[in-house]
């Protein structure tokens, strides 16, 4: 059983004139295979910073604490090694790459994760099956990566990657902007599909909207760079009705 463990994680960002700023102030979180966790919190509470730190983004410096996947030190791994170990990290703002098709990109990603290039014919078959399963138009495979993608297409691509890469743990930063109803449904169906399997899902979100479609097993409220409350799906309902206000105060006073 795969387990992602985050222990007392402290992360700082920026080396500008006013020095590094501590954003994460002791995050503890455990995500096991087959579980869906939602991290919810106000803007600026450090949710994306958590995703970037786990992804190994160079701007985010881990000053203390640990991140392990099945006991292996994730923080000591390169970005590629993290992917190979079974971590999938979907970025909030994917980069447009004209001239590189979705299909080419996926083959590179699959090669990086599996450690060897899949045979072209087998890969094509596999990709076609994955796209069928997700009701994605076959023409999508030839589109330029992220170029002019709608919100829904970005999300379809994200879920297609999940299907092809079969990670142990997926971290999806689904923040606010650009998630129309179409995109929401794609993400929800995808997450629900993976959540019923062996993948552990960490779904990061600001709005409670998506949780009408995805039922997380655990909800963690994030404020001031740490988890300030935890519960089951009922906590998401409470947040939908009452907002984050009381948690922001709790986060500030810690
Ligand atoms: N690359 C960065 N450079 C400087 N400050 C950053 C950077 N990334 C995040 N921050 C700051 O860290 C805090 C948390 O941001 P973020 O993790 O994006 O929060 P959230 O995703 O919860 O909205 C904010 O105050 C933000 O300005
Ligand atoms: Mg964010």
């Amino acid at each position: 059983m795969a387990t992602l463990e985050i222990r007392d994680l402290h992360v700082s960002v920026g080396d500008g004139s006013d020095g590094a700023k501590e954003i994460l102030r002791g995050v503890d979180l455990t995500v096991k295979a087959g579980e869906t966790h939602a991290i919810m919190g106000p803007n600026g509470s450090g949710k994306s910073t958590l995703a970037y730190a786990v992804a190994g983004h160079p701007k985010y410096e881990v000053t203390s604490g640990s991140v392990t996947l099945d006991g292996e030190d994730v923080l000591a791994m390169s970005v590629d090694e993290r992917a190979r170990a079974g971590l999938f990290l979907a970025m909030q703002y994917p980069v447009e790459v004209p001239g590189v098709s979705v299909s080419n990109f996926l083959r590179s990603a699959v090669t990086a994760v599996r450690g060897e290039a899949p045979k072209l014919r087998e890969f094509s078959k596999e990709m076609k099956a994955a796209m069928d399963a997700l009701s994605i138009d076959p023409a999508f495979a030839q589109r330029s990566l992220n170029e002019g993608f709608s919100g829904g297409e970005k999300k379809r691509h994200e879920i297609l990657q999940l299907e092809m890469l079969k990670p142990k743990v997926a971290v999806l930063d689904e923040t606010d902007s650009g998630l129309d109803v179409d995109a929401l449904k794609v993400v929800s169906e995808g997450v629900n599909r993976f959540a019923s399997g062996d993948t552990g899902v960490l779904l990061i979100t600001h709005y409670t909207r998506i949780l009408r479609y995805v039922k997380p097993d655990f909800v963690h409220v994030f404020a001031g760079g740490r988890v300030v409350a935890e519960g089951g799906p009922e906590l998401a309902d409470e947040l939908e009705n009452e907002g984050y206000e009381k948690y922001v105060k709790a986060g500030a006073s810690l």
Side-chain angles (χ1 to χ4, degrees):
M1 272 274 274
T3 306
L4 177 74
E5 267 194 62
I6 299 172
R7 285 289 162 268
D8 197 28
L9 191 69
H10 290 252
V11 173
S12 293
V13 68
D15 48 1
S17 51
D18 52 352
K21 185 166 115 193
E22 180 163 73
I23 309 291
L24 299 188
R25 302 186 299 141
V27 176
D28 288 290
L29 205 61
T30 303
V31 180
K32 294 189 177 146
E35 294 177 352
T36 302
H37 293 249
I39 290 196
M40 313 190 58
N43 283 324
S45 58
K47 305 181 300 296
S48 294
T49 298
L50 177 65
Y52 282 123
V54 174
H57 192 296
K59 259 198 167 169
Y60 298 81
E61 191 201 347
V62 175
T63 52
S64 66
S66 64
V67 179
T68 58
L69 182 63
D70 294 337
E72 301 283 324
D73 183 1
V74 169
L75 299 177
M77 298 177 192
S78 68
V79 172
D80 271 11
E81 285 167 343
R82 291 176 204 219
R84 215 168 299 150
L87 269 179
F88 175 86
L89 302 132
M91 289 301 134
Q92 198 179 333
Y93 302 107
V95 186
E96 293 188 6
V97 191
V100 172
S101 65
V102 166
S103 160
N104 281 337
F105 170 77
L106 279 175
R107 188 149 184 262
S108 306
V110 164
T111 302
V113 165
R114 296 184 193 163
E116 60 176 355
K119 296 225 168 57
L120 198 50
R121 283 193 58 180
E122 280 161 32
F123 172 76
S124 297
K125 251 181 158 172
E126 205 184 317
M127 188 176 64
K128 192 180 174 304
M131 290 176 75
D132 276 355
L134 299 170
S135 308
I136 298 175
D137 183 338
F140 187 71
Q142 301 316 321
R143 294 272 302 273
S144 271
L145 190 62
N146 293 319
E147 202 178 24
F149 279 15
S150 69
E153 285 167 344
K154 279 183 191 155
K155 296 299 136 187
R156 259 178 211 104
H157 183 226
E158 199 170 287
I159 302 302
L160 180 59
Q161 290 177 67
L162 282 177
E163 182 80 27
M164 297 291 293
L165 300 175
K166 300 207 168 29
K168 292 178 179 167
V169 175
V171 180
L172 308 174
D173 193 352
E174 300 299 344
T175 328
D176 19 304
S177 57
L179 277 197
D180 51 23
V181 174
D182 180 36
L184 267 181
K185 285 198 177 140
V186 173
V187 176
S188 329
E189 281 167 17
V191 168
N192 288 333
R193 210 180 146 84
F194 286 96
S196 59
D198 290 337
T199 301
V201 177
L202 186 57
L203 186 69
I204 299 176
T205 176
H206 169 73
Y207 288 116
T208 52
R209 241 174 11 150
I210 192 169
L211 301 178
R212 289 181 205 159
Y213 305 98
V214 175
K215 283 286 161 245
D217 304 303
F218 305 93
V219 174
H220 313 268
V221 185
F222 221 68
R226 66 177 89 191
V227 176
V228 294
E230 293 179 295
E234 74 288 344
L235 188 48
D237 297 332
E238 183 211 294
L239 291 169
E240 176 154 24
N241 295 325
E242 297 171 27
Y244 291 118
E245 197 180 344
K246 84 179 189 204
Y247 295 108
V248 173
K249 282 184 193 141
S253 67
L254 280 171

